[in-house]
Amino acid sequence: MIVIKFGGSSVRDAHWIGQVVDIASDRLAQAPVLVSSAMGKTTDRLLGIAASAAAGDRAHAENEISGLELLHTEAAEQLASGREHERVAARLETLFGELRSLVNGLVLIKECTPRTQDAILAFGELLSTTVIAAAARERGIDCRLLDSRDFIRTDENFTAAVPDFAATDDLVRRLVPAESGKLLVVQGFIAATEKGVTTTLGRGGSDWSATIIGGALGADEVQIWTDVDGIMTADPRIIDGAMTVPAISYEEAAELAYFGAKVVHPSTIQPAIRRRIPVWVKNTGNPVSPGTRISELSDRKGLAALASKKGITIITVASSRMLHAHGFMSRIFSVFAEHRISVDLVTTSEVTISTTVEGRLDLGPVIQDLEQYGSVSVESGKAIVSLVGRSLWRTGSFTARVFSALSSISVRMISLGSSDINLSLVVNEGDADLAVRALHDEFFSASASVAAASALPPKDAT
Ligand code: ASP
Ligand code: MG
């Protein structure tokens, strides 16, 4: 069987949903499970609705709900007719009725807990899959719409719930009967606790749903359908000449996702690695393009792609006592752990430790706790630029080329060596795009590929 997952932009209107149904219909023999995100920007709009409702702004919330209703009913009208249209229209009406009552409740109590937010966000995927299933049936496809909350089981960490893989694997195997000739349609992103309370897997979590389901069913492959031709050598919004990377390892893909390449959600790779399932990233708008294959093996050595992540803050703790002091680092890290703040990069000297964290978090409390171990300084407005590939530091010329390409940019932190697949640099946010461009020119322009090929390490270097 295969899993085919479509992102919000791939299902943004009737035309795109039509493409999605084409793609699914071409793959019926492979027993597809179709996982979908919410239509277009629906999740953002639902968040706005929750916020307005909690602020008591009934008019704005109602206005937005009507907008979403129009989006879905129009798509349903264009994609289904007759009995099929009556069915989907009735189902949409029920869902919007439920959403309105929930939102009315929020307006009355003027608050939105994480648990309630998840209940509201879930409507996005429930609505989109209702329309997609109707469109597939209208085409004569034997299609069943399932509810992912019946088989993706998570903890109660609302808005960023974590799956219970043992329970989920078992439920998916029992309740998701993939079969050749049939299409199963399920929601990405949404799940439920053991008690049946709705949760979500965190923003962008539909990719993760796809590999969770694919992992449980031992899929032949998981296809992530999006709006670009695969994983690119750099963000095409920054680099005109960005190229598709044909094949990449799980580790490289995970590293790229974590360090800012928005193609797949960072947790997506983990369930695929467990069962060694290849993950393809493909373009719904250009289905003939082969896309990127993420798998265990990729012969390619050297640089695969660049990623960057803005809005980074550096926190430096300087202790006069670090000299020979045992446990300084572990104390610093336990402070971050207590505050559930994840640290991306770390560099140390004899008396200081610098770490990077995402700047939009409220760092006040963690800084206060760090101050008991030394003087703390905070630098915001930074960006991480990452070069991801294989056997990177095995060629001496690699780092030389990186730093000569960046000679006009000031580099504040460098992290290389904990693995040979990622060199990360911290620069000022304003220099990040410039740095990506300089590096892309150096390593991926036509003249660069000749130089890069000759700089590859010998085959037995790994
Ligand atoms: N609809 C959710 C979001 O926008 C999940 C997803 O698209 O993957 O975050
Ligand atoms: Mg998405």
Side-chain angles (χ1 to χ4, degrees):
M1 61 84 51
I2 60 168
V3 176
I4 46 177
K5 179 266 168 181
F6 295 90
S9 58
S10 295
V11 294
R12 61 175 173 260
D13 59 24
H15 168 77
W16 282 83
I17 293 175
Q19 297 264 101
V20 165
V21 173
D22 285 343
I23 290 168
S25 127
D26 288 344
R27 288 164 178 74
L28 287 178
Q30 290 168 279
V33 174
L34 187 160
V35 177
S36 183
S37 293
M39 284 180 74
K41 297 264 169 260
T42 299
T43 307
D44 289 332
R45 293 174 73 180
L46 286 166
L47 272 177
I49 289 168
S52 318
D57 188 347
R58 184 190 299 272
H60 185 256
E62 176 48 43
N63 207 3
E64 276 293 290
I65 295 178
S66 302
L68 286 181
E69 194 167 25
L70 193 66
L71 175 75
H72 289 83
T73 51
E74 272 186 1
E77 229 158 76
Q78 291 174 44
L79 291 161
S81 64
R83 283 288 307 277
E84 197 50 60
H85 179 254
E86 277 167 35
R87 255 172 77 177
V88 61
R91 179 74 191 127
L92 290 177
E93 199 178 316
T94 308
L95 285 169
F96 277 104
E98 287 169 15
L99 176 60
R100 284 198 168 90
S101 345
L102 199 56
V103 168
N104 279 334
L106 291 192
V107 172
L108 293 175
I109 57 173
K110 290 200 173 55
E111 80 160 339
C112 182
T113 61
R115 173 175 167 149
T116 310
Q117 181 176 308
D118 275 354
I120 289 186
L121 293 192
F123 280 90
E125 274 69 11
L126 291 168
L127 290 162
S128 66
T129 50
T130 298
V131 176
I132 294 165
R137 283 195 198 103
E138 177 79 17
R139 291 273 193 92
I141 296 175
D142 184 355
C143 168
R144 239 179 96 190
L145 175 61
L146 306 176
D147 188 327
S148 294
R149 294 172 298 181
D150 294 336
F151 45 81
I152 310 272
R153 172 73 52 80
T154 66
D155 62 11
E156 295 187 355
N157 188 17
F158 295 101
T159 76
V162 176
D164 169 347
F165 280 98
T168 300
D169 281 356
D170 184 52
L171 287 165
V172 169
R173 284 179 203 134
R174 282 197 284 133
L175 301 175
V176 185
E179 193 186 321
S180 173
K182 286 201 163 93
L183 176 65
L184 300 180
V185 175
V186 308
Q187 304 76 29
F189 183 52
I190 73 172
T193 66
E194 195 177 354
K195 294 186 191 117
V197 181
T198 300
T199 56
T200 66
L201 300 176
R203 292 307 306 272
S206 294
D207 294 341
W208 199 9
S209 307
T211 53
I212 292 167
I213 295 169
L217 295 178
D220 298 316
E221 61 187 54
V222 171
Q223 302 174 356
I224 307 284
W225 290 84
T226 176
D227 53 5
V228 286
D229 279 344
I231 294 181
M232 312 290 280
T233 49
D235 185 339
R237 282 162 303 185
I238 304 175
I239 307 292
D240 274 343
M243 297 166 288
T244 307
V245 181
I248 198 167
S249 67
Y250 290 120
E251 291 74 19
E252 289 168 303
E255 207 79 12
L256 281 169
Y258 190 76
F259 284 100
K262 294 212 176 53
V263 208
V264 291
H265 181 278
S267 306
T268 309
I269 306 300
Q270 164 213 350
I273 293 185
R274 270 202 309 159
R275 303 250 153 75
R276 299 283 151 196
I277 297 169
V279 177
W280 283 88
V281 180
K282 285 170 153 296
N283 189 350
T284 309
N286 184 18
V288 292
S289 153
T292 299
R293 183 176 201 264
I294 307 170
S295 64
E296 196 168 1
L297 280 181
S298 146
D299 282 340
R300 186 193 37 66
K301 289 202 173 68
L303 192 61
L306 306 169
S308 59
K309 186 149 111 174
K310 294 181 182 168
I312 297 294
T313 295
I314 301 178
I315 299 180
T316 301
V317 187
S319 166
S320 48
R321 282 167 289 149
M322 185 165 169
L323 208 61
H324 305 305
H326 299 287
F328 176 67
M329 280 208 236
S330 89
R331 280 190 287 271
I332 299 297
F333 285 122
S334 62
V335 172
F336 283 108
E338 271 160 37
H339 290 269
R340 303 194 67 166
I341 288 179
S342 83
V343 167
D344 291 339
L345 301 181
V346 181
T347 56
T348 62
S349 75
E350 190 73 21
V351 291
T352 64
I353 172 165
S354 290
T355 58
T356 64
V357 298
E358 292 199 0
R360 62 188 159 75
L361 305 169
D362 175 14
L363 298 174
V366 72
I367 289 165
Q368 205 177 342
D369 283 357
L370 287 171
E371 269 164 352
Q372 54 186 309
Y373 300 112
S375 61
V376 179
S377 68
V378 176
E379 298 159 75
S380 58
K382 302 290 172 193
I384 298 176
V385 173
S386 299
L387 297 96
V388 174
R390 299 180 115 198
S391 306
L392 289 182
W393 45 245
R394 290 175 204 272
T395 37
S397 62
F398 174 72
T399 39
R401 289 176 71 192
V402 170
F403 290 106
S404 80
L406 297 180
S407 58
S408 63
I409 291 168
S410 87
V411 176
R412 170 64 182 78
M413 260 169 83
I414 301 164
S415 169
L416 167 75
S418 58
S419 74
D420 66 356
I421 69 167
N422 185 341
L423 166 59
S424 283
L425 310 163
V426 179
V427 300
N428 288 328
E429 212 168 44
D431 287 339
D433 291 359
L434 207 65
V436 171
R437 256 181 235 123
L439 291 167
H440 200 271
D441 277 354
E442 173 64 31
F443 288 98
F444 295 108
S445 66
S447 55
S449 35
V450 179
S454 61
L456 283 180
K459 261 227 148 51
D460 57 358
T462 36

